[in-house]
Amino acid sequence: MKKEIVNIMNDISSWLRYQKQLGVESISMGSELSSFLNHAVQSKASSQKLTSINEYKDEIPAETDLAGLRRIVENCKKCELYKKRRNTVFGEGPENAKMVLVGEAPGKEEDIQGRPFVGPSGKLLTDMLNAINIFRKDVFITSVIKCRPPCNRTPGHEEIAACFPFLRHQLRLINPPIILALGLVAAQILLNEKAPLKSLRGRFHQWDNARVMVIYHPAYLLRLKGSQQLDCKRVAWHDLQILEKEYDKYR
Ligand code: URA
């Protein structure tokens, strides 16, 4: 695979920024590379201000139902991601679900199947839900971004700005009492917060009529190793138990 250096550097810088916001404090590497990347991370972070939720332009007719919205998403060309997608991944689940799960963006398997969370992180997500007696068929699962970013990189500001109105419309139509934000991108966008995930998780926030719980993204849990993975899984388990209590009110 050939890739321009500037694209590689952008991917590395956004990955590093993501790790930083997740709370990863250090990564071992040579000092020259390290100081170069530090500069790239800082300048990119300062150019990516978090847009207020109301600034995401919404051109979706108010009367559009979920089926209509799915068709709009399938034909969307608002950002560059449409060029490489095999399928859009709109999301799936009951229209009257009591909980909507919001991930970041489809990965390889999701792009192939056109369904959310069907790859390795989807398997972990399903197991996490089952552990608190919640089943996929009962919840609506979607992501902030509906097309796969190349190489699973973190979605860029323009892509989020283009795609967020679809999620907002989905949430307004389903109107769930609970939203589960999976990972930093979903959490920061929904809560309009720039804080790291570790300071947002573990408690409920408000979004319109819904209570929003933030947990570690299953893909992040899968990427961690050793004791760091165990610690974060323990934390995720704690958060899932809080979620279960809230969800019980609507069973
Ligand atoms: N990660 C996400 O955030 N969404 C998916 O659909 C799959 C993986």
Side-chain angles (χ1 to χ4, degrees), residues 89 103-107 110 115-118 121 142-143 217 219:
V89 183
E104 178 177 311
E110 290 78 18
R115 296 183 54 214
F117 283 97
V118 287
S121 60
T142 188
S143 296
H217 195 294

Side-chain angles (χ1 to χ4, degrees), residues 12-229:
I12 294 172
S13 111
S14 85
W15 179 80
L16 281 174
R17 192 162 39 85
Y18 184 56
Q19 296 301 311
K20 199 170 172 199
Q21 286 172 326
L22 287 169
V24 176
E25 303 290 348
S26 62
I27 290 165
S28 46
M29 61 173 76
S31 60
E32 208 178 321
L33 181 59
S34 160
S35 86
F36 177 78
L37 286 177
N38 252 340
H39 176 73
V41 170
Q42 275 160 18
S43 52
K44 182 146 187 191
S46 63
S47 71
Q48 288 208 337
K49 294 209 187 70
L50 200 63
T51 308
S52 150
I53 212 156
N54 297 320
E55 288 172 44
Y56 293 104
K57 293 269 178 305
D58 194 343
E59 287 148 15
I60 304 161
E63 66 280 9
T64 309
D65 62 8
L66 275 181
L69 187 63
R70 182 187 288 273
R71 282 193 295 277
I72 294 175
V73 169
E74 280 167 0
N75 293 308
C76 179
K77 294 185 176 172
K78 281 166 73 186
C79 77
E80 298 287 296
L81 294 183
Y82 83 90
K83 290 185 180 163
K84 293 206 172 141
R85 73 182 175 216
R86 294 195 213 185
N87 287 293
T88 53
V89 183
F90 180 73
E92 62 186 26
E95 298 197 3
N96 61 351
K98 297 295 178 245
M99 181 161 72
V100 174
L101 278 62
V102 181
E104 178 177 311
K108 184 173 176 209
E109 200 54 40
E110 290 78 18
D111 179 55
I112 292 171
Q113 295 191 34
R115 296 183 54 214
F117 283 97
V118 287
S121 60
K123 182 172 180 333
L124 178 57
L125 177 64
T126 306
D127 291 345
M128 287 161 77
L129 291 176
N130 291 352
I132 52 167
N133 298 309
I134 299 177
F135 304 98
R136 276 184 74 122
K137 68 175 179 45
D138 297 322
V139 295
F140 195 96
I141 307 181
T142 188
S143 296
V144 175
I145 299 285
K146 312 300 191 206
C147 298
R148 182 189 183 206
C151 307
N152 297 346
R153 66 161 166 71
T154 307
H157 186 75
E158 299 296 318
E159 293 152 2
I160 293 174
C163 220
F164 180 71
F166 300 138
L167 174 64
R168 182 170 50 197
H169 202 87
Q170 282 177 309
L171 291 172
R172 290 195 175 142
L173 287 171
I174 300 168
N175 194 21
I178 306 172
I179 297 173
L180 181 60
L182 300 162
L184 190 68
V185 170
Q188 289 194 334
I189 292 303
L190 285 169
L191 304 176
N192 199 25
E193 283 272 2
K194 228 179 167 179
L197 192 132
K198 62 183 174 187
S199 74
L200 299 173
R201 54 146 291 271
R203 64 199 160 89
F204 282 100
H205 309 256
Q206 202 66 27
W207 189 85
D208 268 14
N209 302 324
R211 303 195 78 196
V212 182
M213 181 72 168
V214 175
I215 62 168
Y216 284 118
H217 195 294
Y220 174 68
L221 294 175
L222 288 174
R223 274 200 305 276
L224 294 174
K225 301 257 178 294
S227 63
Q228 212 184 4
Q229 186 185 57

